[in-house]
Amino acid sequence: MKFENTLAFAQSLDAKDTLSNYRSEFNFPKVKGKQVIYFTGNSLGLQPKRAVEYVNEVMTDWAELAVEGHFYANKPWWDYHERFSEPLSKIVGAKPSEVTVMNTLTVNLHLLMATFYKPSGKRVKILCEEKAFPSDQYLIQTQVKWHGLDPKDVIVEVKRRPGEHNFRLEDILAKIEEVGDELALVLMGGLNYYTGQVLDMKNITAKAHQQGAYVGWDLAHAAGNINLELHDWDADFAAWCSYKYMNSGPGNASGCFIHEKHHTNKELVRLGGWWGHNKERRFLMEPNYDPIEGAHGWQISNLPILTLAPYLASVELFAEIGMPKLIEKRNLITAYLEFIINTIGAEVGGNFEIITPIEQSERASQLSILLHGEGRAMFTYLMEAGVIVDWREPNVIRLAPVPLYTSFEDMYQFGQILKEGILSQK
Ligand SMILES: *Cc1c(COP(=O)(O)O)cnc(C)c1O
């Protein structure tokens, strides 16, 4: 499609957009009385109006039923989390038995590492990407120390080539082969939070398995954003937060995937609790722990229903639309945003570059812009002009045109604001 940087063209794309009516399902903040252009759905998704209803339902059941709500609420609480299995499995490309929801993301990665990181003999090393999201770095470092090992000896980072912004698949595969039978675990972000690069999870997983290692994926920026086929890719485990593209609310619950092939392996130790125990016998208060076969068998505590409620509303919204439609619009709107940025940059001489990969297969709903000049001033200017973007040190602005609720007109208007900002800086 040949794009044009005009309001009429942007509006014509909105008119053809089959998802455009979902915009009204979300609450937008305002700056100076005007609805914002929201580019930070990769950090905290907007509030779906349905989420409010789902939370109110739990509040009402709690008021009217109290403890009886566990079994007699409109959506009973004791197995509330099972409502996620079907719709969530479709979003991440899993079987329903392979997904569950609990805790928060970093906590779940710790718990999954407790199962899947078992250093023994010379197989002790963990492979990750350099400059991983800070929480992942701390997670891996502290897990290693908890096993009495030295992070220096055990953590292997895949690096970018000098002068390049993104990882090369061949370098990741070569590193896996180099570590070989010392490799215990590969744990990486499937979609890089900083650059927006999507990794080839299928081939990386296969390569690590050839070396006899387990593979886990942090899908914080991938869930609800890209096509995932966790079961077919044969990933051992994965976890994601739900408050980014999945719009479940600040700091909200995480989802986990544990491949079916591990479900009946009772040798795989998990840190247990009563909610992962045989469902039929959970309330018999027996001494012997008998984990459920399936991802729910990694549950520990009874679940925070008030936090699951908005997440369920969101998951059902995704299920209603389906990932293929979201991805189709995502590709178009991201390409349009890229066109706008490049057009404005050329027109007024913007001193910046997009560091997100150009290839569609290697990126999703995020463009990261590296500002070579006065970056922070541009960020402040945009925020004051009602464009909500995010700032990453030392000099990157990330823009996520989330297909569920952003419009093509937003992209055009953003371009006009950007242009004024660049001109006023000169
Ligand atoms: C957002 C994000 C997190 C956040 O972890 P929490 O435990 O939810 O605070 C972790 N890892 C990555 C890669 C992220 O992008």
Side-chain angles (χ1 to χ4, degrees):
M1 184 181 302
K2 198 164 160 2
F3 292 135
E4 290 169 31
N5 182 24
T6 63
L7 179 60
F9 183 81
Q11 286 175 339
S12 76
L13 289 178
D14 281 326
K16 279 181 261 174
D17 172 14
T18 56
L19 299 183
S20 61
N21 53 334
Y22 282 99
R23 187 172 167 88
S24 63
E25 295 244 7
F26 289 84
N27 288 315
F28 281 75
K30 292 197 169 101
V31 167
K32 297 177 189 140
K34 216 173 123 245
Q35 182 170 313
V36 299
I37 299 174
Y38 198 71
F39 278 124
T40 44
N42 57 344
S43 187
L44 182 72
L46 290 180
Q47 182 184 83
K49 292 175 183 167
R50 299 184 196 191
V52 181
E53 287 166 35
Y54 276 58
V55 172
N56 285 344
E57 181 184 47
V58 178
M59 292 301 280
T60 304
D61 283 337
W62 177 24
E64 293 176 356
L65 299 167
V67 73
E68 294 280 83
H70 281 297
F71 295 104
Y72 303 110
N74 189 24
K75 300 186 182 79
W77 305 329
W78 82 296
D79 58 3
Y80 195 96
H81 57 290
E82 293 181 9
R83 293 172 184 274
F84 287 80
S85 301
E86 188 68 38
L88 193 54
S89 69
K90 294 208 176 74
I91 298 169
V92 298
K95 296 192 174 179
S97 65
E98 291 175 318
V99 296
T100 195
V101 289
M102 57 185 186
N103 312 306
T104 44
L105 172 56
T106 311
V107 171
N108 281 340
L109 288 172
H110 271 299
L111 294 173
L112 290 163
M113 280 184 83
T115 296
F116 291 100
Y117 179 55
K118 302 241 139 248
S120 82
K122 65 180 191 173
R123 200 178 279 285
V124 295
K125 293 192 174 167
I126 302 177
L127 188 104
C128 60
E129 72 275 34
E130 69 169 345
K131 299 207 181 107
F133 190 86
S135 200
D136 298 33
Q137 295 184 44
Y138 311 149
L139 156 87
I140 296 174
Q141 288 164 15
T142 54
Q143 278 270 339
V144 164
K145 286 189 184 168
W146 187 65
H147 282 281
L149 298 166
D150 186 343
K152 266 200 324 302
D153 303 332
V154 168
I155 300 172
V156 180
E157 291 186 343
V158 178
K159 309 227 180 278
R160 299 167 175 93
R161 295 188 188 184
E164 296 190 5
H165 296 297
N166 294 292
F167 297 101
R168 294 205 192 187
L169 176 64
E170 73 241 46
D171 292 352
I172 299 172
L173 299 181
K175 190 55 103 179
I176 290 171
E177 199 161 311
E178 183 191 313
V179 182
D181 61 4
E182 294 181 2
L183 188 61
L185 176 68
V186 171
L187 181 57
M188 300 178 95
L191 199 164
N192 189 272
Y193 81 100
Y194 196 79
T195 60
Q197 181 185 20
V198 179
L199 295 184
D200 182 342
M201 288 180 251
K202 180 180 175 184
N203 280 310
I204 294 169
T205 302
K207 187 72 174 182
H209 283 165
Q210 272 173 20
Q211 303 300 327
Y214 283 126
V215 183
W217 293 102
D218 179 338
L219 301 177
H221 283 262
N225 180 18
I226 66 172
N227 176 51
L228 293 166
E229 296 173 32
L230 293 176
H231 177 86
D232 289 347
W233 295 342
D234 205 25
D236 295 290
F237 68 92
W240 53 92
C241 49
S242 59
Y243 49 81
K244 291 176 178 168
Y245 290 95
M246 303 219 39
N247 317 312
S248 75
N252 217 336
S254 159
C256 314
F257 164 90
I258 296 128
H259 199 283
E260 183 179 52
K261 67 189 175 184
H262 300 305
H263 292 179
T264 53
N265 181 359
K266 307 252 165 173
E267 303 284 292
L268 277 179
V269 177
R270 67 261 340 240
L271 299 180
W274 71 326
W275 236 248
H277 183 75
N278 182 331
K279 187 180 170 189
E280 308 312 321
R281 310 185 66 80
R282 185 177 298 152
F283 298 104
L284 300 181
M285 307 303 179
E286 298 166 323
N288 294 327
Y289 177 52
D290 173 24
I292 297 165
E293 281 183 15
H296 297 322
W298 270 258
Q299 289 282 348
I300 298 180
S301 297
N302 83 98
L303 288 144
I305 303 303
L306 279 168
T307 83
L308 292 193
Y311 188 10
L312 184 60
S314 169
V315 161
E316 290 181 355
L317 191 64
F318 273 79
E320 186 180 301
I321 301 167
M323 287 307 294
K325 269 197 180 164
L326 283 169
I327 288 170
E328 195 186 335
K329 175 171 174 190
R330 181 202 75 193
N331 290 343
L332 189 63
I333 199 165
T334 309
Y336 189 53
L337 175 62
E338 181 183 39
F339 164 81
I340 296 278
I341 292 169
N342 289 335
T343 305
I344 299 290
E347 211 176 298
V348 295
N351 193 13
F352 54 75
E353 73 182 292
I354 297 176
I355 59 172
T356 305
I358 290 169
E359 296 76 26
Q360 195 142 86
S361 61
E362 268 196 271
R363 72 179 192 195
S365 181
Q366 176 182 321
L367 297 178
S368 298
I369 303 180
L370 178 62
L371 298 147
H372 296 295
E374 275 296 301
R376 192 79 206 187
M378 177 56 81
F379 169 73
T380 308
Y381 160 79
L382 289 172
M383 293 293 280
E384 281 172 2
V387 182
I388 309 299
V389 296
D390 113 347
W391 174 258
R392 288 290 125 161
E393 294 295 339
N395 228 6
V396 163
I397 284 177
R398 302 183 303 173
L399 304 170
V402 172
L404 252 179
Y405 49 70
T406 54
S407 68
F408 292 89
E409 183 173 340
D410 283 344
M411 304 305 117
Y412 170 76
Q413 300 295 3
F414 163 69
Q416 296 304 300
I417 294 169
L418 177 68
K419 182 168 156 181
E420 251 176 65
I422 296 170
L423 290 174
S424 71
Q425 271 192 0
K426 293 209 159 174

